[in-house]
Amino acid sequence: MYLIKNVHVYAPEDMGVRDVLIGAGEILKISDRLPAEKAYDVEVIDGTGKVLMPGLIDAHVHILGGGGEGGARTRTPEIMLTDITRGGVTTVVGCLGTDGCTRTMTNLLAKAKGLEEEGITTYVYTGSYQVPVRTLTGSIMDDLILLDRVVGCGEIAISDHRSSQPTVEEFAKIVADTRVGGILSAKAGLVNIHMGDGEEKLSFLRHVLGHSQIPPTNMLPTHINRSQALMEDGIDYAKTCGGYIDLTTSSDPDFLEPDEVKASTGLKMALDAGVSAEHITFSSDGQGSLPVFGADGTFLGLGVGKVTSLYREMRDAVLTDGVDLTDALRAVTSNPAALLKLERKGRIAEHVDADLVLADAHTLEIDTVIAKGVRMISGGRVLVRGTFERAEQTE
């Protein structure tokens, strides 16, 4: 049990300075003043000068690795536990990308189970870029209903030269099947949608909303900030259709593509344009490849996405772009939790999971990360490492 004293709590709403008692993996009590260790068999953590935030949720992580656009040698490696926890992330959703052949659903589920055993909450999407969708059971609905860790479908690629070039009718059928599978399994039934550079932009999503009874909560288009044009279309989609948009944080802020929008800046743009703060999420695309293609589609090179970029962009939104901390936190905590229907995640409240980040109140530098009630990082030092990680890899 831990008692965090005198800490400024953002739940993500500003709750002021409180004391927070955690034990048995959940938040037990939040109060203006709780008795110290004499009344409880707990370890006291001094939160003076710090802020307490929900553990971050990253809804788009290539936990198996990704890539391969430049051949087998460009397949990125599997993610390690501390690649996730060092960025304050305590819940991830794993996905497959361009390569749905050498990366399979059985591999993805096994990796998710491993990360869960190492201490963080892990879910997955069924499928990959490809249409027809490659599932484990042969059906999107069956995967959702029968496989506990499957919360949706994705990442389905549209408007991209690497996609299967699905028709709008094929795309609508994927969304419909995912929604019904979610209903029957009491899950989110969320379709995670890879947006490319094509001229179609968000037209497929608009078609679904205009020609069916499916609500926008079942579709989350990601990489919206990959270009100024797509960012503007995403803002319009969120405002006029009530849609949700996801900004990708894995990019090098010093080497942005000419038309690319930094995620923190994109958040500010969307809020200033009148998009509801509850309709914007961030995800990292962590451990996925960041390929560079020429104008003719020729592969030129690639980098690797980092889950730690999620926290960096949230922090930059506050410290550089002037976004309120509550609004910035929503994008990485309560908003993805709501879309994914994770009722015990993404907020600080009594009787929810003790997934927490303690950070300096001024710099927002991470001090402590707690996942399911266990301290993973303390004083900026890693306490819990993955099974195959060595100390020198993580310090």
Side-chain angles (χ1 to χ4, degrees):
M1 296 176 69
Y2 300 107
L3 177 58
I4 307 174
K5 297 281 292 181
N6 303 314
V7 69
H8 196 150
V9 176
Y10 284 85
E13 299 77 20
D14 187 349
M15 295 179 66
V17 177
R18 312 295 291 272
D19 291 353
V20 179
L21 177 67
I22 66 176
E26 69 174 37
I27 298 173
L28 300 175
K29 187 72 174 176
I30 302 173
S31 178
D32 291 337
R33 183 180 293 275
L34 289 171
E37 65 271 21
K38 291 181 180 179
Y40 299 101
D41 184 17
V42 301
E43 179 178 344
V44 175
I45 299 174
D46 184 9
T48 304
K50 295 182 174 64
V51 292
L52 186 68
M53 305 170 282
L56 275 59
I57 299 170
D58 196 338
H60 186 118
V61 183
H62 294 274
I63 57 178
L64 281 178
E69 287 96 340
R73 67 184 178 85
T74 64
R75 298 168 78 251
T76 66
E78 291 189 9
I79 203 164
M80 294 288 190
L81 177 67
T82 59
D83 294 332
I84 299 168
T85 56
R86 284 186 296 110
V89 174
T90 55
T91 300
V92 297
V93 184
C95 61
L96 301 178
T98 315
D99 182 3
C101 178
T102 68
R103 318 271 192 182
T104 67
M105 280 301 299
T106 51
N107 300 153
L108 189 65
L109 284 166
K111 179 65 177 180
K113 184 177 180 180
L115 288 171
E116 188 87 32
E117 291 172 353
E118 289 179 335
I120 64 167
T121 303
T122 313
Y123 299 97
V124 302
Y125 300 113
T126 188
S128 57
Y129 273 26
Q130 283 76 38
V131 176
V133 177
R134 296 185 179 186
T135 65
L136 191 62
T137 65
S139 159
I140 293 173
M141 280 193 274
D142 286 356
D143 275 16
L144 274 158
I145 295 166
L146 300 176
L147 304 175
D148 289 345
R149 295 186 197 279
V150 176
V151 293
C153 180
E155 61 177 303
I156 301 298
I158 61 174
S159 193
D160 193 293
H161 66 94
R162 292 165 292 171
S163 78
S164 296
Q165 309 304 320
T167 64
V168 68
E169 290 79 14
E170 288 173 323
F171 176 76
K173 184 65 165 59
I174 291 169
V175 179
D177 285 352
T178 305
R179 172 172 169 77
V180 174
I183 291 171
L184 295 175
S185 59
K187 296 176 183 175
L190 182 68
V191 181
N192 187 271
I193 303 158
H194 166 100
M195 296 301 307
D197 289 318
E199 292 297 323
E200 302 89 346
K201 299 185 179 68
L202 291 157
S203 60
F204 277 32
L205 286 77
R206 295 176 192 271
H207 176 90
V208 170
L209 295 180
H211 294 83
S212 76
Q213 295 73 47
I214 295 172
T217 48
N218 287 107
M219 298 182 290
L220 184 62
T222 190
H223 315 321
I224 289 294
N225 55 317
R226 73 182 311 137
S227 71
Q228 184 70 33
L230 186 57
M231 186 75 216
E232 291 172 359
D233 194 44
I235 288 172
D236 182 73
Y237 168 75
K239 291 177 63 178
T240 61
C241 301
Y244 294 77
I245 56 175
D246 184 67
L247 310 183
T248 301
T249 60
S250 277
S251 62
D252 189 332
D254 296 324
F255 297 97
L256 292 175
E257 292 295 318
D259 204 26
E260 187 177 356
V261 180
K262 194 171 181 287
S264 60
T265 304
L267 174 61
K268 174 69 170 172
M269 286 174 56
L271 292 174
D272 287 349
V275 176
S276 168
E278 296 180 350
H279 282 234
I280 308 166
T281 64
F282 282 2
S283 66
S284 72
D285 204 11
Q287 215 61 23
S289 68
L290 304 176
V292 178
F293 295 97
D296 61 353
T298 303
F299 173 77
L300 301 178
L302 81 165
V304 180
K306 301 294 183 184
V307 170
T308 52
S309 67
L310 194 72
Y311 191 86
R312 179 196 72 205
E313 291 298 299
M314 184 281 294
R315 185 185 62 203
D316 285 357
V318 176
L319 300 182
T320 303
D321 295 284
V323 175
D324 183 79
L325 179 55
T326 290
D327 288 340
L329 277 175
R330 282 194 178 110
V332 293
T333 58
S334 59
N335 290 353
L339 282 172
L340 293 164
K341 293 189 176 180
L342 305 180
E343 295 180 355
R344 294 178 61 88
K345 303 292 184 182
R347 58 196 177 98
I348 296 177
E350 293 180 0
H351 309 302
V352 303
D353 289 347
D355 293 341
L356 301 165
V357 176
L358 192 65
D360 183 273
H362 299 291
T363 66
L364 295 183
E365 289 294 326
I366 292 175
D367 176 89
T368 300
V369 177
I370 298 172
K372 295 191 286 188
V374 176
R375 276 196 299 186
M376 312 297 279
I377 292 173
S378 180
R381 292 182 59 82
V382 173
L383 300 183
V384 179
R385 297 182 173 86
T387 307
F388 297 104
E389 292 185 282
R390 299 190 305 273
E392 60 267 27
Q393 289 178 309
T394 58
E395 297 298 337

